[in-house]
Amino acid sequence: DAKTTQPTSMDCAEGRAANLPCNHSTISGNEYVYWYRQIHSQGPQYIIHGLKNNETNEMASLIITEDRKSSTLILPHATLRDTAVYYCIVKVRDSGYSTLTFGKGTMLLVSP
Amino acid sequence: GAVVSQHPSWVICKSGTSVKIECRSLDFQATTMFWYRQFPKQSLMLMATSNEGSKATYEQGVEKDKFLINHASLTLSTLTVTSAHPEDSSFYICSARDPLAGPRNEQYFGPGTRLTVT
């Protein structure tokens, strides 16, 4: 699976949009971009995933560049409860035998 | 969404004893479950992958005789830390894949179990 690069930490004011970048310059054509987050002392939570089109769900939006070498996770209106470590992971979405490899992620701190 | 539970949420045990952690998928059948370990201020590290009815596949460096994994049913996997030592103190997290999740196909994670070995 391709490696990803994320900033170590980011700050965001409550109510503002949080834009979390991820570089995955060696991504393969059959690899998806997944985002998970982990609130302190809890298990990770799935947020969103995409292949090449932009995606949006009730939690966030995912913007993938045309060359697929980078992406941005957008939390449109960050709240204090969005403070967490956010992981960008690229992997093949296959029959189910591929695993998630977690990097160090980005620690997002949302402040009042 | 799908729910995965773990029991216990935290446990303290003495060095040399064994501890069993349960992971259950509450509203779906999980043919594949995963066990991760997370040390303080570090990321999750995959320990093993277990498929229902077969032996678990362990990641390099994880001792299969020390971390016993049983996936006897489609809704339950257990991790037993045998002869625990203080260096086994960690946050253990399981996840399960719902084969019927369709295009999402993501893993659902449990809340984790904090193990402290004294």
Side-chain angles (χ1 to χ4, degrees):
Chain A
D1 292 336
K3 293 181 64 175
T4 62
T5 304
Q6 299 178 252
T8 303
S9 63
M10 294 184 67
D11 294 330
C12 180
E14 188 178 20
R16 304 298 293 269
N19 298 285
L20 292 91
C22 179
N23 287 320
H24 31 79
S25 59
T26 59
I27 191 170
S28 299
N30 62 346
E31 289 182 314
Y32 286 70
V33 180
Y34 284 79
W35 283 84
Y36 283 78
R37 73 179 183 184
Q38 185 180 23
I39 295 170
H40 182 63
S41 292
Q42 296 184 23
Q45 176 188 23
Y46 166 85
I47 301 174
I48 199 168
H49 79 284
L51 182 63
K52 53 184 178 181
N53 297 322
N54 297 337
E55 301 289 342
T56 295
N57 63 20
E58 65 279 4
M59 290 184 68
S61 294
L62 174 60
I63 307 299
I64 303 174
T65 58
E66 191 169 344
D67 63 7
R68 302 210 323 124
K69 293 184 177 182
S70 66
S71 61
T72 301
L73 178 74
I74 301 173
L75 307 179
H77 305 288
T79 69
L80 300 180
R81 289 176 294 181
D82 291 323
T83 292
V85 178
Y86 287 76
Y87 297 99
C88 169
I89 301 169
V90 293
K91 68 179 285 289
V92 175
R93 186 177 68 78
D94 58 9
S95 61
Y97 291 99
S98 65
T99 59
L100 292 169
T101 301
F102 288 83
K104 296 184 178 181
T106 296
M107 174 66 217
L108 175 67
L109 176 62
V110 182
S111 52
Chain B
V3 177
V4 174
S5 70
Q6 282 184 241
H7 178 80
S9 55
W10 59 271
V11 57
I12 302 173
C13 72
K14 292 186 176 181
S15 185
T17 61
S18 295
V19 174
K20 179 184 286 188
I21 302 170
E22 293 185 349
C23 176
R24 293 181 185 273
S25 57
L26 298 185
D27 52 1
F28 67 98
Q29 294 184 326
T31 52
T32 305
M33 288 186 170
F34 305 88
W35 287 95
Y36 295 82
R37 179 168 55 182
Q38 185 175 33
F39 293 109
K41 296 188 178 181
Q42 294 188 23
S43 190
L44 285 80
M45 296 297 295
L46 179 66
M47 298 176 67
T49 302
S50 77
N51 293 296
E52 186 267 337
S54 63
K55 291 184 177 180
T57 302
Y58 290 81
E59 295 298 300
Q60 191 173 9
V62 178
E63 300 175 58
K64 62 179 181 180
D65 294 331
K66 180 172 181 61
F67 299 99
L68 302 179
I69 292 172
N70 184 282
H71 192 167
S73 78
L74 288 172
T75 59
L76 173 65
S77 176
T78 60
L79 167 68
T80 301
V81 182
T82 63
S83 187
H85 288 97
E87 56 264 31
D88 298 323
S89 298
S90 187
F91 193 48
Y92 291 87
I93 306 168
C94 73
S95 70
R97 177 176 283 129
D98 181 357
L100 301 180
R104 296 184 72 176
N105 198 31
E106 74 277 17
Q107 295 180 25
Y108 299 98
F109 286 82
T113 296
R114 177 78 58 191
L115 170 63
T116 302
V117 184
T118 61

